[in-house]
Amino acid sequence: MVPAGFPRTVLTMPWWIIEQSVPPDAHCAERHVHVDHQYVGLVADPGEVIREPEHPFRWAGPDELGGLAMFTATRLLAAGSFAVVPMLAIGDVDAVSVLTSLAGGVRS
């Protein structure tokens, strides 16, 4: 919680923050590290558009993970998410337990 009158918007914490070593790309001519903030979204109707996203975006199901261009570590996290997100949505488990189990029991 932030103090009353805090003058900034408080954002939702990501499920994971990971460092990923990546090869040169359009933004950097040398090998470098991406710090990825990964979120999970729960929606009642994935067809409803509230506003246009700022970056290319689409919903993907577990059967599509193998065909998406993503790092292996990200694919593993996504696959683990599909197993637990339904339980989170109905309140069967808490997010800390889920994240701890997906991280192999490691808490930071």
Side-chain angles (χ1 to χ4, degrees), residues 37 73 81:
H37 295 75
S81 298

Side-chain angles (χ1 to χ4, degrees), residues 49-75:
V49 176
I50 296 172
R51 68 180 176 87
E52 289 300 316
E54 294 180 28
H55 298 284
F57 168 84
R58 74 175 182 82
W59 295 108
D63 56 326
E64 299 174 85
L65 290 178
L68 298 175
M70 64 175 65
F71 297 114
T72 301
T74 303
R75 186 174 287 108

Side-chain angles (χ1 to χ4, degrees), residues 15-45:
W15 274 47
W16 299 283
I17 300 173
I18 64 168
E19 288 185 349
Q20 177 71 46
S21 179
V22 297
D25 59 21
H27 303 287
C28 185
E30 300 174 357
R31 188 162 192 80
H32 56 284
V33 173
H34 281 186
V35 177
D36 294 338
H37 295 75
Q38 299 174 350
Y39 293 83
V40 172
L42 301 174
V43 296
D45 179 3

